[in-house]
Amino acid sequence: MHDPQLNFDKSPARRVRAAITERFSLRRDKADDEEIEKRIRDGVDLSGATPWILMFAIVVASVGLNINSTAVIIGAMLISPIMGPIMGAGLGIAVFDFDLVKRSLKNLGIATLISLAVSALYFAISPLREAQSELLARTTPTIWDVLIAIFGGLAGVIGLTRTNRSNIIPGVAIATALMPPVCTAGYGIATGQWHFFGGALYLYLINCVFIALATFIGLRVLKLKRHGFADERVERRVKFSLSALALVTALPSAYLATNLVKDELFRSRAKIFVGQEFSLPYTHVAETKIDPDQRIIELSLIGAPVNVETLRIIESRLAMQQLEGAKIIVHQIGDNKVDVTALKASLLSDLYRDSQEVVQKKDDEIQKMRKELLARKTQDANAVDIANELRAQQTDVTGVFVGEGVEVAADGGKRSMLALNVSSKRPLSKGDRLRIENWFKVRLKTDAVVLNFYVERRVRKT
């Protein structure tokens, strides 16, 4: 007898559904629940060699951030053991193991403190103090960081629960990038730049929370066996505590993710708006600053000034890009004068500042040369006066030389000296020489003088 159910089972829709289910089944190569728990629990403990590996990884990551080397940073993320406690917290919540949650959070806290201390110590002694792009990239969390943490955590828990373990966990460590933010926070501590510390630690906590949350979701989807309790009251208390902990963790995470989405949407819409509305023939946007919290779009314009009426028309179109309540602040050049304060770090400001520095440097060199020339002229005039005054005192003086020199001592010490060479028709007496020396010191107001006396030799004609 023909069975209509067989035809139904062999229908194209049922076969396609069965093929899709088989293709995407997470249970086909799933490891035993005990094996999965063992793998995650083994990574929770922070003792023995693990803290040493963590410290070495922190130093490597700090060096990579310091020299701006992406390859070195990736290497540090590969050897870091910091993922273990985070996934352990997610497992504890998923299977109602309160002790595992406490142990995981404790070890995560210790790992974080070690990471902050080691990275802060490194940056405190490092001669390279300037924040490179790899450091700056870890100071401002975005919605993309949340998405990376969630989907990276899901990929990690799926890879960890397979019969044949794959290399997914190292890939997750690279994608979620736990090491660079905590090292950047250490840089903020070492240099006293607390906005670096706050932003980087914020990003680190985002990654930790969402990786743990993704681990929890993944293990619940795989229906890992929950732990039983001998006492029903203890079971209810533990389940309530873990549920409350999960809720307390999830709610701020959801709020955070919502705010990050709003901020990213505002930035994206603001950039599109600026690109569309300020594409003017003779005006160029030199700099754009967007503040989602204050809903402010700040622009620095160069070129032909935009009149007030045009700016009002542009501002009236904010609602068309869903930027209601946003404020536009425009800095621009007017009356052919460069408004350096308004342009700040824009290209025009940089060029203006550089040109001013060049002009100032040349002015300083010119002033220095003028002073040296004036001093030389004054010295020449003084030499003439000194010669005339000396001849008036000693009629036998025939030649006078006044100059400057440097006296070098046996130990290498140096001092500037003023020299006076006196030529006379006959040898001057000791008293005359002493009187001339005292007069010369008083005349020039210094004791750093050296005098030489010569007798003019006359050549006899034959």
Side-chain angles (χ1 to χ4, degrees):
M1 182 177 178
H2 180 69
D3 187 354
Q5 182 65 30
L6 293 176
N7 290 336
F8 180 75
D9 289 341
K10 295 179 180 179
S11 64
R14 180 62 62 87
R15 287 197 300 270
V16 170
R17 190 179 302 114
I20 292 175
T21 302
E22 177 66 18
R23 175 71 65 181
F24 291 96
S25 175
L26 291 175
R27 297 182 175 277
R28 186 175 61 179
D29 57 344
K30 173 178 169 291
D32 295 335
D33 290 356
E34 293 78 10
E35 176 63 21
I36 293 173
E37 284 203 36
K38 182 179 182 303
R39 291 175 182 176
I40 298 178
R41 288 176 185 273
D42 288 345
V44 170
D45 290 330
L46 193 69
S47 58
T50 306
W52 288 101
I53 295 173
L54 174 63
M55 288 189 288
F56 297 151
I58 286 293
V59 173
V60 173
S62 298
V63 171
L65 291 169
N66 207 193
I67 64 175
N68 213 39
S69 173
T70 305
V72 175
I73 297 171
I74 292 174
M77 290 186 285
L78 284 173
I79 61 177
S80 168
I82 208 167
M83 284 280 291
I86 301 174
M87 300 189 77
L91 170 66
I93 297 174
V95 299
F96 289 145
D97 189 337
F98 194 59
D99 290 335
L100 177 59
V101 174
K102 291 193 294 183
R103 186 157 56 93
S104 299
L105 294 179
K106 176 183 177 182
N107 287 331
L108 178 60
I110 294 173
T112 303
L113 291 176
I114 291 175
S115 302
L116 290 173
V118 173
S119 58
L121 178 61
Y122 168 80
F123 284 111
I125 63 177
S126 172
L128 304 177
R129 311 291 290 180
E130 186 178 355
Q132 303 291 341
S133 60
E134 289 288 350
L135 270 168
L136 296 173
R138 269 81 185 188
T139 57
T140 308
T142 65
I143 184 59
W144 314 118
D145 297 304
V146 174
L147 295 176
I148 290 170
I150 290 176
F151 290 100
L154 290 173
V157 71
I158 291 174
L160 199 62
T161 56
R162 299 302 94 191
T163 304
N164 297 320
R165 296 179 66 177
S166 63
N167 61 349
I168 290 179
I169 296 300
V172 172
I174 294 172
T176 53
L178 287 163
M179 301 293 286
V182 74
C183 291
T184 303
Y187 170 83
I189 295 174
T191 58
Q193 301 184 64
W194 299 109
H195 62 285
F196 274 77
F197 171 78
L201 193 62
Y202 186 30
L203 175 56
Y204 172 73
L205 293 177
I206 286 175
N207 287 340
C208 291
V209 168
F210 281 97
I211 291 172
L213 186 61
T215 302
F216 165 76
I217 294 172
L219 294 177
R220 289 316 319 141
V221 169
L222 293 172
K223 297 181 180 179
L224 236 66
K225 184 179 179 182
R226 290 174 172 170
H227 293 187
F229 300 89
D231 191 334
E232 290 185 0
R233 288 180 299 177
V234 175
E235 181 178 359
R236 285 196 301 269
R237 187 164 63 250
V238 170
K239 288 183 177 180
F240 175 78
S241 299
L242 289 175
S243 299
L245 178 62
L247 189 63
V248 168
T249 303
L251 286 180
S253 302
Y255 175 75
L256 172 66
T258 302
N259 285 341
L260 288 175
V261 169
K262 290 180 180 178
D263 290 349
E264 285 299 305
L265 285 176
F266 182 84
R267 285 193 181 94
S268 177
R269 290 168 179 166
K271 289 178 181 177
I272 294 173
F273 178 81
V274 171
Q276 290 177 347
E277 300 296 334
F278 286 90
S279 294
L280 304 174
Y282 304 105
T283 304
H284 176 68
V285 179
E287 184 183 18
T288 304
K289 290 185 178 180
I290 300 171
D291 185 351
D293 295 332
Q294 302 294 328
R295 297 185 69 79
I296 293 176
I297 305 171
E298 189 172 358
L299 305 173
S300 295
L301 306 180
I302 58 175
V306 182
N307 59 52
V308 177
E309 184 62 31
T310 301
L311 291 176
R312 286 177 180 171
I313 295 173
I314 291 174
E315 193 170 13
S316 67
R317 299 174 183 157
L318 285 168
M320 298 173 62
Q321 285 291 343
Q322 298 179 351
L323 294 171
E324 299 87 349
K327 182 180 179 181
I328 299 178
I329 299 177
V330 176
H331 305 284
Q332 56 184 330
I333 302 171
D335 300 328
N336 296 322
K337 295 179 181 179
V338 178
D339 187 355
V340 179
T341 303
L343 291 176
K344 295 179 181 177
S346 68
L347 176 61
L348 185 59
S349 177
D350 291 339
L351 293 173
Y352 180 81
R353 184 180 62 251
D354 292 343
S355 63
Q356 289 294 98
E357 290 177 355
V358 172
V359 172
Q360 184 62 43
K361 186 176 180 180
K362 289 184 177 180
D363 287 344
D364 293 342
E365 292 177 354
I366 292 172
Q367 291 297 328
K368 183 179 178 181
M369 294 175 65
R370 284 178 176 174
K371 288 180 180 179
E372 291 177 354
L373 182 59
L374 180 61
R376 180 62 61 184
K377 289 182 178 179
T378 303
Q379 182 179 345
D380 293 344
N382 284 339
V384 173
D385 293 340
I386 289 171
N388 292 335
E389 292 173 14
L390 185 56
R391 288 193 181 96
Q393 297 177 43
Q394 297 289 336
T395 57
D396 290 337
V397 172
T398 58
V400 177
F401 170 82
V402 181
E404 296 181 3
V406 177
E407 182 183 52
V408 182
D411 60 355
K414 300 177 182 179
R415 67 168 181 166
S416 298
M417 301 288 290
L418 294 174
L420 176 65
N421 294 346
V422 180
S423 300
S424 58
K425 297 177 182 178
R426 60 178 178 83
L428 297 177
S429 66
K430 185 177 181 181
D432 289 340
R433 291 198 300 269
L434 181 61
R435 185 170 56 255
I436 292 173
E437 181 178 354
N438 292 334
W439 167 80
F440 190 60
K441 290 179 180 179
V442 173
R443 178 68 170 75
L444 297 182
K445 299 178 182 179
T446 179
D447 289 334
V449 299
V450 58
L451 278 78
N452 298 299
F453 295 94
Y454 304 94
V455 176
E456 180 181 335
R457 293 184 178 181
R458 296 182 179 181
V459 179
R460 182 178 297 179
K461 296 182 181 180
T462 59

